[in-house]
Amino acid sequence: METSGGIQASLGGRYALALFELARDAKTIDAVESSLANVRDALAQSEDFRNLTVSPMVSRGAAVKAVSAVADELGVDATTKSFLGVLAENHRLGALPKIIKAFRALAAQHRGEIAAEVTSAHPLTDEQVIELKHQLRQRVGREVSVDLSVDPSLLGGLVVRVGSQMIDSSIKTRLNTLAHAMKG
């Protein structure tokens, strides 16, 4: 499998590639991707979990035990649970967001899809996600997997990143542009 040099170049990318190769060989890419989405959501929702991943004060042993407990609570697959243990053992839990992002890109590439990051002011409904995927598929000419996140500061609209291209239709950006134009 050909991978992008950009993914391999970063620490998070190397970990993501190692996890991806394990998942590919075990034919568990979808399970690992789903588990990583649960981990990403837990990082976004739990300040305690986020602190565990970034605090230098947490000992290696405590981090391994805590991340194992979190993995059990989230119901992640065995490969992801083991991987989280390795990250904790190596003091690399802080790289989780980058690892998850890189893994999703590798999985999308493996399926022949393009990964898109979509940030909205409010959670999107299932119907809105389906329509968004349809619009993006028409625009890029390939299937698109979307990684959704919410940022209330956008006020409304969407920010979509597909590869190096960004489409920003957020109200926040429109207001900032208008304010800048009025300054003159």
Side-chain angles (χ1 to χ4, degrees):
M1 175 184 156
E2 241 179 80
T3 57
S4 125
I7 288 179
Q8 288 182 336
S10 70
L11 176 72
R14 290 193 299 273
Y15 274 100
L17 182 59
L19 177 60
F20 178 80
E21 289 173 348
L22 282 171
R24 184 189 61 208
D25 294 346
K27 298 185 180 2
T28 59
I29 293 172
D30 291 342
V32 170
E33 189 172 18
S34 175
S35 291
L36 289 176
N38 290 342
V39 170
R40 183 195 62 220
D41 292 346
L43 282 170
Q45 296 167 5
S46 170
E47 189 175 341
D48 289 340
F49 184 42
R50 204 169 36 255
N51 289 339
L52 166 72
T53 65
V54 297
S55 174
M57 305 306 285
V58 178
S59 72
R60 186 174 297 189
V64 171
K65 285 180 187 171
V67 84
S68 177
V70 169
D72 288 341
E73 189 177 316
L74 294 175
V76 302
D77 68 289
T79 302
T80 304
K81 181 178 177 180
S82 175
F83 179 75
L84 291 172
V86 169
L87 290 179
E89 191 69 38
N90 293 328
H91 289 292
R92 297 289 187 221
L93 287 171
L96 260 173
K98 290 181 180 173
I99 292 168
I100 293 168
K101 182 178 176 181
F103 185 93
R104 286 185 54 89
L106 289 166
Q109 180 182 4
H110 178 74
R111 290 189 297 265
E113 298 174 346
I114 293 176
E117 295 174 42
V118 178
T119 307
S120 60
H122 307 283
L124 299 177
T125 65
D126 291 342
E127 295 81 22
Q128 289 171 321
V129 172
I130 290 167
E131 179 60 24
L132 177 63
K133 283 182 175 183
H134 176 72
Q135 293 295 325
L136 290 171
R137 182 174 50 245
Q138 286 185 328
R139 186 172 183 139
V140 299
R142 289 172 54 185
E143 286 298 318
V144 177
S145 68
V146 294
D147 185 9
L148 303 169
S149 62
V150 175
D151 178 0
S153 75
L154 295 179
L155 303 175
L158 298 173
V159 177
V160 180
R161 284 189 178 85
V162 180
S164 62
Q165 184 181 19
M166 184 172 87
I167 305 161
D168 187 342
S169 68
S170 68
I171 293 175
K172 178 181 178 181
T173 298
R174 291 178 186 177
L175 289 173
N176 287 341
T177 303
L178 180 61
H180 182 68
M182 291 174 69
K183 286 181 186 175

